[in-house]
Structure formats: C-alpha cells, structure tokens
Amino acid sequence: MSIEKDNRVALENDGMRLDIVAKVTGAAKYSTDQYLPNLLWAAFIRCPYGEATASKSSKEKAEKVKGVLEVNMGNPRGRYDGDRVGYICAESRHALEEAMAAIEIEWQVGKPKTRLSREKTPLEKIDAPQRANEAAQAMENAPVVIERTYDTQVQTHCSLEPHGGTVDAKGDSAIAWVSTQGTFSVRDDLVRTLQMRPTNVEVHCEYVGGGFGSKFGAGPEGDLAARMSKKYGRPCRCFCSRYEEQTDTGMRPGSMQYMKVAADKSGKILGARIHTWGSVGTNGGGGGMSNPSRYNFGVVAKSHQDVNLNSGGPRAMRAPGHPQGMFAVELMIDELAAELGMDPMALRLKADGNRTRSEMMQIGADMIGWKDRLPNGSAKGVIKRGLGMGVTDWGNGGGRATVGVNIHRDGTVEVLSGSQDIGTGFRTMVASAARSQIGCDRKYVTAKVGDSRLPPGPGSGGSVTSRMVAPKAMNAGLLAKQELLKAVAAEWKTDAAKLSIKDGAITDGQQTLDWEKACKLIPNGQISITSSDDGPFAPRGTGSEGVQFVDLTVDTETGIVRVKKIIALQNVGQAVFRSGVENQITGGVIQGLSFALFENRILNRENGTMVNPNMEFYKIAGSMDIPEIIPIIWKNEGDVSVNSVGEPPGIATPGAIGCAIYNAIGVPVRSMPMTPDKILAALATKETIG
Amino acid sequence: MKTFDYLKAKTLDAAVREYTDKTVLKAGGIDLLDRLKERIHEPDTLVSIEGLKDLAYIKEEAGGLKIGAMSTLADIARSDLIRTKYQGLWTSAAHAATPQVRERATVGGNLCQRPRCWYFRNQAFHCKKKGGEHCFAADGENQYHAIFGDAGCHIVHPSNIAPALLALDAVFVVKSKAGERTIKSTEFFTMPDVDIDRENVLKPGDIVTEIQIPASPTQSATIELREKQSFDWPLVLVSVARVSGAWHVGMGAVAPVPMRSAEAEAILKNQDLTADLITAAAAAAVKPAEPMSQNKHKVTLLRVAIERALKLSVGMEVPQ
C-alpha cells in the first residue's frame, strides 16, 4: 500500500481547524477567561501533608480580611497533600489569597504511605488467582522461562487550563462556564447541587484546555462555585492553582508488574503468571492495568492488588491502565525475544494474531529501517542507536448523540453539537463530517459546540466522541442536503432524486446552480435538521489498531536519551479531518514519550508532600525533546465508519521507547521514567555481569 | 502573592538608596516572581531596576570584556563577540532555560537568583534557609541536590553562567551607598554554613552593576547535562577556560556554590591537553564528591562533563 496516498484518506484532507485563528489570536475564550461583574472567588483550604490532623486551628484572622464572606474549616483531617479540609469565599482574588495566608493550622503530621514498593503485599502473600495451576502446568518444563518485575511512576494530567468553573446562579436558573470534557454531565451535576430544573441550567465550554480523562462532571471546584453563587446571589469562580492541579485532580496510578512468562523454542508463548500492583489514593481503587494484553500469552493466571497511598486519587487518564501495562508487556516481549535469540518483531508477529497490525509491522519496519537494527547492545561507540516497537488497539465503545444542521438562505451552514472540544479538534470534526455529505464549499460551514443548549452528545471519554457524533453529523448533513435538493427540484420542476451537489453547486447533469443561489430557494428561512440516528453511517467496529516504531540514541556515558524519530501507524476507520487525526496521533505519542522519559510525581517519603507540584519540577517533554513524529493514518479496505483515535496512540509509545533503549544499550531499563540515573545504573549492572 | 509597593528606579543611585533590608531588588523578575507567588518571600516593597537600560551593554575593553548586569542572557546569546571569543560563556547563556526566559533573565539576576531546591520553594517545608532547623533533602528526595560540600543545606546553586565566569576569573562590580567595589567571582558565592540566608556576599543595598572578564581565554567550552533538552535545570554544568596559559574548571549544579575544581586544575596546570591528562583531571575533580542517597549518578555525570568540556575546548572529538 502507498502510505502517501493513505494519509489522504480523510473526508477533509486540506482544511485548517475552524478555530485556529481564534485560538492563536486569543479571541477564543476558555471558561477560565470568564470574569463576570460582581464576581466572588472561592478556593479550598488544603492539607499540605500526606497524613495530618489539625491539632490547633483558627480562622479568626482569615475572617477578618476585608472582603472575605465565608471561611469554612469543617474537616480537621487531611489524608493527602492537596486534600480539601475547608474553603474560603471572598469578594476578590486578593482577599481570597490574603485570607488563605491568614489561616492558622498546626498540623500533627502522621506516617503517610508514600511508596508503592514499600506498601504493597509481597507476591508470596498474594492468593493464587484462577488458572494458577493451569498456568504453572503450561510453564512447567518449558525451555525458556523468564521472570521480571517492571514498574511505572505516577503521571499527572497537567491540563493547561486548570479544573474549575464560574457559576452564576440567579433565582431558579444558572449559567455556568466550566472547564470540562462533559458538558452535559456538568449540567446534571449542577442541577443536583443547585436543585434546579435542567431547562434552567446552562453550561458553556466553547473552548477547553485539555482534560485527558480528569474533567468529567462539575468536580469539587464547580460544586463549590455553584453553592457559593446560589448562597450569595452573585457569580462565583473557583479554579485550581497549578499546585492543586498536580495534587488533587487525578493521576495515572503508578504500577509494579511481576511477569513470569514461558515459551517454547519456536517463540510460542505457553503461559504466564502475572501479578500487578497499582498505587491509588487513600480510598477506593482504579489502579488496574492492561497486562497481559494484545499478545497471546497462552494460559494466563493474573492477579492484581490496588495499594492505597496517601495521595490524591486516580482519575481516568488517556487509555487508563494501558500505557503502563504495555510498557511492561512490550519490554517483556523484547526480553523474551533476546532469550530466544529471535528478532523481536518476528516474535510479535507470532504472538499477535491481528492481521491489520501484521501489515502495519511490515510497512513500519521498512520506514524505520528495521533491517538495519543491530542485536541488543552491539552498536559501537559512546552514543548508541536503538530501535524499538510497540503495538496498540482500542475497544471502540458506544454512546448516544444528536447533531443539528442548519442551512440558511445566505448559504451558511451551522453544525450543532453540545459536546465539547477539549482541544482535539472536535469542532472541526463535526463540521467536516456534516460537510462531507452536504457537499458545499468549506467556507460556508461553521460549528457550534460546548453548550448545553445545543443537541446532546457524549463526554470526551473512551475515545467515543467522534465515533458517536460523526455518523449523526453525516446523517444530518445528508438529510439537510436532501431538503435543499427538494427546494431546487421544486424550482426546476424536476425530481429531487435526479439532483446532486458537485463541486459545491447543484446539478441535474444539464444545468447547475451555485450554492448561494440554491440556498436562496430555501423556504421558511432555513433548513433545520436534527439527527439522533446514524442513518447509513452506523459505526462498525474496527480495532483502532496501531503499531509504532522508535529510533533513538542513548549516550552511554551520561544515560541521556534522545529520541530521533517515531513512526506511528494508526487505524482509525474512516478519518474525518486529516490534520485533526494526525494531531491526535502525534499528541498521544508525545504524551507517551513524556511519560516514558520524564514525568514523575514525587512524594516526599517522610511527610507525603509532593515536592514537584508544578510544571518546573514535574518534567514534561518540551519542544527540544520531541522527535520527528510521522503519523500514518491507516485505512483498511472497506472501512467506512469513524473510529477511535484519542487514546490508542499513546499506548504503544512508552513500551516502544523502552525496547529501543534496551536495543541500544543491551540491558533493559525496567523502570519508568527511564532517566539518566536509571540508565547509568542499568549499564553498570551490565558491566558488572561482564 | 502579598500586596507590595513597586518602586521603579530611574537611576542606579536611586536604586541603591531604596534597596534596604526592608525591600527586595527586581531585575528581570524571573526568580523573584516565583518566590512572591509561592509566598516564599513576602516583601513590602520591590525596587525595580528594570528601567536601568544603561546597565545593559557588552563591550570589549583592554583585551577583556565588560558586561552590564542588566544585559539579558539573550543579549549574550546574540553577541558575536562572546560567541567567537568566549565560547564557554556563550554556551552557558545561550542554552539556558527557554528563549522567552532568556529574553527576560538578566546577567545580574542569574548570578543572584535564589536556589531552586524543591524544599526551599515549597511552603510546606520549613527548611534551614527559611529559618528552620532541618535540611529535608538530607533524608528526602535529593536526586537533584549537591554532591559536594556538606554544609548542612544541600542546595545546588542554580546559575548557569557562574561556572563560566569563575573559569574566566571574572570580577563583579558592586555598587552600594558606600561607593563602588569589585569582588572576585571566586569570592562572591558563600556556602550555607557561612550564611544560611544568602548564597553570596552581597548585603541589602549592594547591586551588581557589571561583570568584568580580564582577558579572553585561548580556549573555553561548556558542557551542560540535563534530563530534558527544553526548559530544564542542569544535572551538572561544567565550563572550562584556559586563561594566560592556565586551565580553569568551573562547576555548577553540584554544590551550594558554583565552584572551581582545585583538584582538576592542579593536574592540568598550564599543560597542553592530552586524553590521559583529561581523564586524570576529571577523575581528580570528582574524588572529593560525597553524593547523597539518590544522586550518585551526578558524580559520573560530572566526570564525563569535565572530560567533554576539556576536549571540546581544544577541538577534540566529543560524543554528541
């Protein structure tokens, strides 16, 4: 197949994002940009330690700060750094900050749990899972058995726009501007908090600065803003600071992953015993991970333990459980391949029954130059090149959506969906999907999104937004076009079925009418179609498969990794707009790279305070750290339905980088982030072993 | 941040007059703004010297160099004079932080900035530098902390350009109410056990106005090793220079002060470099290192950075 050709398989191959100018000029207003007249400011009082009790506290000085309306210190016990122990509401930001500084609390700091490795139940004390005997039997007498433990760190979401909202509740109605990835879930939350009717609560989030899974619902911040607004009859704003973002708005849990895997000499994996531990917050779970996954491991006995630490709890984060699981799985595959003396791609082809991925592997291998890959650790020189690969896919979940399309008599087309654009390009996607059926020039089409007054749609989770909304947009577009053709047919006194739209003009094969003139024939002001049906565009499952190849170098004297190139082949079914899909693939890769090499939430081991609760000490890949990334939109023959792209691309990257580092230096680094200290330590082990 | 008065000095004399123990000095504001926002410092009055544009210059004089303290790191990066004759200094400034930061960050501010230690920068830790009794890095998260100089506080000095200036035997001109004086760069920075409250010898009212480099080096180079290539602090930074025949080795991010390696210099002396000499000098430099529980790798990195900086300065091949 020709990659170049296939990268132009989208319905919209050349258009820019509809909001590109608004975003780069600052005209786009995010929820955090809303400063209303007479605004109140609210924020939470937070515990700064992992486990602490307020032995003595006073809010007297805080209450005396001019402009302070309310200081609540209802909770004397903090369970983690960033835990909410009270709140303040004030008439200005300044008053709020001064009151916060005037709060007096003497904390009795306890003994917080800060390390997964220290708090987990040892493997030998874990109850045997189902199939343990069967797996042990499968592994018995296998010629190759390897046993490894991998670990991954906690990753925080780092949305650039913080969590929070401004709520203006007046009488029995409210308008809210909330940074969210779920317009309608915020509305439903506020309906409950404010005890109002859904018809009386409006939620706006026309532009959102990222969410990555952490921004469903109004959240504690939106809830506090709503309560204060209702109480004082004034708009109230509550947005997190960066410290609050890093400690209390969710995270991807850390993991430890024990794997014992057995194979025969041909590379057939016979069985595995796997146990994983996930580090979660003080209560509840959510630390599971996709290990094993995507490869056939034979008979598998798997167990998992969530380990509670004194930290903010997890929230869904872009393919929850997958990147950390696949880091261990991919590196295990490469370690197994080394043990078997096999090429790691050959082993993958054997262990992965997916036909699409097999094709992707062959093409990606050519693109990265896999045939030049040297055996692990055999590159010469101080700076060693390594190649690695990883795989991904996605389950393609479901959901409901409704899309509206209006065609006006001046030719303009509005596509309407209440779902939010969290930065992914949803606004352009929905417009492109509708336009693909209407057939007019793109200059006529706009989209309105992120407003609870518009037709309902899904939250941005599970990579379902495009998958669910695009078919309805296409169907609404199709129906709207048919209405327009009817109007033209009436004018031409012909049958609408004989008309079509070609190059933006209406034609019956004989005569043509340009778009604007045709739209002037629309009766009753406008065509207005709403579709909750997929029509002929019903989503069909593809696996959203992907394969990634990484080319990097490791400086073996310093342990510094430079990623040079990443090729990311990604099946998305029918791509809607090309640059948006490519952005999603590239963004996922960057987030995966940043997770693999840099990001790390660090709790001070003694008192549980996060020592890097900002974007200076919490390291995220910057422009100089980002390699050439080549996103390849893959489309299998006959794929006509729009599928998921948000989550799958980030899954393969950490594992592929881990494998490339292993290939470069000849010794696996089984712990993320793969920082210079760990790489030097791994190299030192290799030298010791000789 | 707490409310403060903002005084904009129109002259250096006015700045010196207003800069007392009750006020703080603001140049580019890169470091100060962070401290104000985190409420690590809550001054009543800021004295801004940002408008003193006549302190922004780079000029060659009597075989040496004079840099006004209000020059920015970007000014250095744009200077062909520094790029061609003071490569070590140029690299130190041109690769620091980000383009945006370099446009704001001044040379004086870079030398006088406070440490980036994550305990010092976090209100939850009442560390020694904030009047407490404990250095939390000692038994805490110390992967980025000092490997030299156990002085009870384990910060590393954050200045990117100081190691180069030390290696170049730079002198700092300081203006105060008492007049003008010069301080050798090697005597400018102070260890925590000398004065826990500051990282240099300046007192309120002292303003660095100029950096003087007596002579251009015959060779110089800087190697900075860091985890990220965009916007990160160095794990180690080494700047070497050969001045009047003698080799000088400046080291940053490894101790509470930027420092010269007496051990390396004692080996290198005035000799032309060979691979063996470089290896011996680097090994000698790291010998006195006393790494903490999580930063042993910094010893290796320092050795490698010294070797590479020396090699780079004389045109020997360096892995990159």
Side-chain angles (χ1 to χ4, degrees):
Chain A
M1 68 184 274
S2 158
I3 291 303
E4 213 174 319
K5 177 173 169 284
D6 278 3
N7 253 354
R8 294 185 60 80
V9 296
L11 298 173
E12 176 66 81
N13 283 298
D14 302 308
M16 289 194 305
R17 287 192 181 209
L18 292 179
D19 50 14
I20 192 75
V21 174
K23 283 192 171 177
V24 299
T25 58
K29 293 298 172 207
Y30 291 72
S31 294
T32 191
D33 293 325
Q34 296 295 337
Y35 295 95
L36 303 184
N38 212 23
L39 186 66
L40 297 179
W41 293 67
F44 290 101
I45 303 166
R46 295 183 186 267
C47 170
Y49 304 109
E51 159 79 50
T53 307
S55 58
K56 219 196 271 180
S57 64
S58 170
K59 57 182 184 176
E60 205 177 319
K61 285 185 185 165
E63 284 175 332
K64 283 184 181 160
V65 172
K66 194 177 169 209
V68 169
L69 297 181
E70 185 171 341
V71 179
N72 177 299
M73 291 173 66
N75 178 12
R77 182 164 170 253
R79 301 158 302 160
Y80 57 89
D81 182 12
D83 196 5
R84 301 177 296 276
V85 295
Y87 63 82
I88 297 175
C89 182
E91 293 193 300
S92 68
R93 177 178 182 165
H94 180 65
L96 177 67
E97 289 189 5
E98 287 304 301
M100 202 60 84
I103 291 286
E104 294 174 305
I105 303 179
E106 271 182 33
W107 292 104
Q108 287 291 115
V109 183
K111 293 261 180 234
K113 296 174 180 174
T114 60
R115 295 290 185 277
L116 173 59
S117 56
R118 210 158 54 188
E119 305 299 336
K120 70 180 172 55
T121 303
L123 183 65
E124 55 274 17
K125 292 191 178 168
I126 300 284
D127 291 340
Q130 283 185 344
R131 304 190 81 189
N133 290 337
E134 214 183 320
Q137 222 163 19
M139 288 193 280
E140 206 179 342
N141 303 323
V144 178
V145 179
I146 60 174
E147 208 173 347
R148 304 282 189 263
T149 302
Y150 304 89
D151 66 80
T152 65
Q153 76 284 26
V154 169
Q155 182 185 29
T156 59
H157 294 75
C158 291
S159 308
L160 283 183
E161 185 189 22
H163 290 67
T166 294
V167 180
D168 190 6
K170 284 195 172 64
D172 63 354
S173 67
I175 305 175
W177 292 263
V178 178
S179 183
T180 181
Q181 54 193 96
T183 317
F184 297 95
S185 60
V186 171
R187 184 196 59 192
D188 294 346
D189 283 352
L190 294 181
V191 162
R192 278 190 293 274
T193 300
L194 297 167
Q195 296 288 299
M196 291 177 183
R197 293 181 187 281
T199 47
N200 290 3
V201 177
E202 266 178 41
V203 174
H204 295 264
C205 49
E206 280 83 0
Y207 296 92
V208 183
F212 309 107
S214 67
K215 277 185 184 166
F216 293 104
E221 304 82 17
D223 181 74
L224 179 61
R227 286 189 289 118
M228 294 298 102
S229 177
K230 187 174 185 181
K231 183 170 179 177
Y232 294 103
R234 292 166 63 175
C236 181
R237 169 190 173 93
C238 178
F239 274 92
C240 285
S241 66
R242 190 51 58 185
Y243 155 72
E244 292 171 300
E245 282 292 304
Q246 290 292 73
T247 55
D248 195 35
T249 62
M251 50 84 173
R252 183 190 296 286
S255 79
M256 292 186 73
Q257 302 175 58
Y258 165 82
M259 302 176 77
K260 183 179 178 184
V261 176
D264 68 17
K265 284 188 176 166
S266 76
K268 183 182 178 192
I269 303 176
L270 304 170
R273 167 74 179 100
I274 293 167
H275 180 78
T276 56
W277 296 267
S279 67
V280 296
T282 48
N283 295 312
M289 65 213 71
S290 62
N291 179 355
S293 181
R294 299 179 174 96
Y295 298 114
N296 183 356
F297 271 50
V299 185
V300 176
K302 161 85 190 276
S303 50
H304 172 78
Q305 182 195 21
D306 277 340
V307 180
N308 295 110
L309 299 182
N310 289 94
S311 82
R315 289 186 192 172
M317 183 167 187
R318 203 170 190 173
H322 288 264
Q324 63 265 49
M326 288 308 288
F327 168 70
V329 169
E330 298 289 7
L331 198 46
M332 165 55 86
I333 290 282
D334 268 37
E335 292 203 55
L336 188 60
E339 199 74 22
L340 289 160
M342 279 180 81
D343 177 282
M345 191 169 99
L347 181 58
R348 281 178 174 82
L349 284 166
K350 207 173 176 72
D352 183 1
N354 185 287
R355 211 180 63 193
T356 299
R357 275 200 296 258
S358 297
E359 284 178 34
M360 287 174 167
M361 283 187 204
Q362 309 288 357
I363 286 167
D366 282 348
M367 292 179 75
I368 204 79
W370 190 261
K371 66 176 178 1
D372 299 330
R373 179 183 177 276
L374 298 172
N376 293 338
S378 61
K380 302 279 177 241
V382 171
I383 310 278
K384 294 186 191 297
R385 181 186 184 210
L387 298 181
M389 63 181 293
V391 305
T392 185
D393 53 32
W394 196 248
N396 287 312
R400 290 166 180 273
T402 303
V403 175
V405 170
N406 296 330
I407 304 178
H408 295 271
R409 294 187 71 178
D410 66 351
T412 53
V413 178
E414 283 173 313
V415 186
L416 310 172
S417 167
S419 280
Q420 56 297 316
D421 185 340
I422 59 168
T424 55
F426 173 75
R427 176 181 275 104
T428 312
M429 190 289 299
V430 75
S432 301
R435 191 178 82 85
S436 71
Q437 300 308 313
I438 299 169
C440 63
D441 191 281
R442 77 167 73 91
K443 72 182 180 192
Y444 295 110
V445 184
T446 58
K448 289 182 177 161
V449 302
D451 183 335
S452 64
R453 295 169 299 176
L454 297 172
S460 303
S463 300
V464 300
T465 328
S466 296
R467 179 175 156 76
M468 287 300 111
V469 178
K472 283 79 177 175
M474 290 154 86
N475 196 42
L478 181 65
L479 296 174
K481 178 178 79 173
Q482 287 167 354
E483 288 298 309
L484 179 65
L485 295 183
K486 274 188 213 164
V488 176
E491 178 74 9
W492 286 355
K493 299 189 175 23
T494 183
D495 183 357
K498 291 180 180 161
L499 305 186
S500 62
I501 300 183
K502 202 175 169 193
D503 299 328
I506 288 77
T507 180
D508 62 357
Q510 309 286 318
Q511 54 187 332
T512 62
L513 187 63
D514 80 26
W515 176 259
E516 288 188 29
K517 285 181 182 155
C519 289
K520 285 193 173 35
L521 301 174
I522 295 170
N524 307 321
Q526 68 181 55
I527 292 167
S528 189
I529 298 289
T530 299
S531 176
S532 303
D533 296 325
D534 297 322
F537 309 102
R540 271 177 282 165
T542 73
S544 284
E545 300 92 341
V547 174
Q548 291 181 17
F549 287 86
V550 170
D551 182 352
L552 54 70
T553 61
V554 182
D555 183 333
T556 52
E557 288 183 348
T558 65
I560 293 171
V561 175
R562 297 279 186 97
V563 183
K564 304 291 184 191
K565 187 192 269 192
I566 298 182
I567 292 166
L569 303 108
Q570 186 62 53
N571 181 15
V572 300
Q574 173 62 62
V576 179
F577 86 104
R578 180 184 172 185
S579 72
V581 175
E582 289 178 342
N583 280 173
Q584 282 283 66
I585 298 171
T586 304
V589 167
I590 290 171
Q591 206 165 23
L593 176 149
S594 188
F595 182 36
L597 296 177
F598 306 118
E599 298 186 40
N600 191 8
R601 184 203 67 187
I602 304 171
L603 300 179
N604 189 53
R605 63 196 61 205
E606 295 303 320
N607 64 6
T609 300
M610 184 177 177
V611 294
N612 56 347
N614 52 51
M615 288 167 80
E616 175 185 349
F617 299 140
Y618 182 92
K619 301 186 180 189
I620 299 181
S623 52
M624 301 286 284
D625 304 300
I626 295 168
E628 179 188 9
I629 299 170
I630 303 176
I632 306 293
I633 300 172
W634 185 281
K635 187 169 180 292
N636 282 327
E637 203 66 37
D639 262 349
V640 292
S641 68
V642 177
N643 270 310
S644 304
V645 67
E647 283 162 297
I651 294 171
T653 318
I657 289 175
C659 293
I661 291 173
Y662 178 28
N663 180 231
I665 67 176
V667 54
V669 179
R670 300 191 187 104
S671 173
M672 288 192 358
M674 292 169 278
T675 41
D677 53 335
K678 291 180 188 169
I679 290 172
L680 289 175
L683 282 162
T685 318
K686 185 186 171 194
E687 281 159 19
T688 311
I689 296 166
Chain B
M1 66 181 76
K2 194 186 138 199
T3 305
F4 51 79
D5 290 328
Y6 187 88
L7 302 182
K8 208 169 172 181
K10 288 187 177 152
T11 65
L12 181 59
D13 285 339
V16 167
R17 202 167 51 239
E18 297 294 343
Y19 178 27
T20 67
D21 57 357
K22 303 277 188 299
T23 63
V24 296
L25 199 65
K26 178 192 161 293
I30 295 288
D31 163 41
L32 181 64
L33 191 63
D34 280 352
R35 283 187 280 127
L36 296 177
K37 282 161 72 176
E38 298 295 335
R39 288 188 178 248
I40 303 303
H41 286 123
E42 300 186 314
D44 293 324
T45 306
L46 255 63
V47 180
S48 171
I49 54 171
E50 202 178 337
L52 304 184
K53 299 295 180 202
D54 50 352
L55 289 182
Y57 53 83
I58 295 170
K59 57 189 178 192
E60 206 168 17
E61 216 171 275
L65 189 69
K66 289 186 173 175
I67 304 171
M70 289 303 294
S71 304
T72 63
L73 299 186
D75 290 336
I76 294 183
R78 280 190 284 264
S79 165
D80 286 340
L81 168 64
I82 296 180
R83 186 173 51 78
T84 52
K85 289 193 176 178
Y86 302 84
Q87 291 95 337
L89 174 61
W90 183 85
T91 305
S92 303
H95 293 176
T98 64
Q100 291 92 332
V101 169
R102 292 196 292 270
E103 291 292 340
R104 293 286 305 168
T106 64
V107 168
N110 186 273
L111 295 173
C112 298
Q113 64 184 310
R114 304 303 310 277
R116 310 302 302 194
C117 167
W118 51 30
Y119 294 109
F120 174 67
R121 297 272 164 176
N122 191 324
Q123 269 196 314
F125 297 98
H126 191 49
C127 76
K128 282 187 172 177
K129 275 207 169 288
K130 292 181 287 193
E133 293 179 348
H134 190 59
C135 173
F136 292 87
D139 46 12
E141 314 310 318
N142 53 36
Q143 50 268 56
Y144 301 117
H145 285 78
I147 55 171
F148 287 109
D150 185 357
C153 160
H154 299 272
I155 61 159
V156 294
H157 197 280
S159 172
N160 268 53
I161 61 171
L165 295 176
L166 261 71
L168 292 166
D169 275 341
V171 170
F172 304 153
V173 179
V174 174
K175 173 96 176 187
S176 71
K177 280 178 195 156
E180 202 171 79
R181 67 188 194 277
T182 56
I183 303 172
K184 287 182 182 171
S185 55
T186 47
E187 294 169 3
F188 182 78
F189 300 98
T190 53
M191 288 290 283
D193 51 0
V194 174
D195 189 345
I196 191 72
D197 294 327
R198 51 177 53 90
E199 292 78 42
N200 56 55
V201 298
L202 298 183
K203 299 278 188 279
D206 288 342
I207 298 176
V208 177
T209 58
E210 186 179 82
I211 284 77
Q212 297 178 346
I213 299 171
S216 65
T218 46
Q219 282 97 11
S220 75
T222 291
I223 290 286
E224 180 183 354
L225 299 177
R226 52 193 194 189
E227 290 179 348
K228 279 170 52 183
Q229 304 312 309
S230 283
F231 190 37
D232 201 1
W233 297 95
L235 294 165
V236 301
L237 187 152
V238 172
S239 191
V240 301
R242 193 174 196 184
V243 181
S244 306
W247 284 101
H248 297 168
V249 178
M251 306 186 294
V254 292
V257 292
M259 61 194 281
R260 292 259 293 266
S261 171
E263 291 79 5
E265 292 177 11
I267 287 177
L268 297 168
K269 295 181 192 150
N270 285 31
Q271 304 177 74
D272 288 338
L273 297 184
T274 63
D276 287 346
L277 198 59
I278 288 170
T279 305
V286 300
K287 208 167 175 196
E290 295 176 82
M292 303 177 76
S293 58
Q294 295 168 73
N295 66 10
K296 291 179 184 64
H297 62 292
K298 287 184 66 166
V299 179
T300 307
L301 295 177
L302 178 62
R303 179 178 54 71
V304 172
I306 293 172
E307 287 177 357
R308 291 186 182 181
L310 287 168
K311 285 179 180 172
L312 189 63
S313 74
V314 294
M316 290 166 75
E317 200 183 336
V318 172
Q320 50 191 324

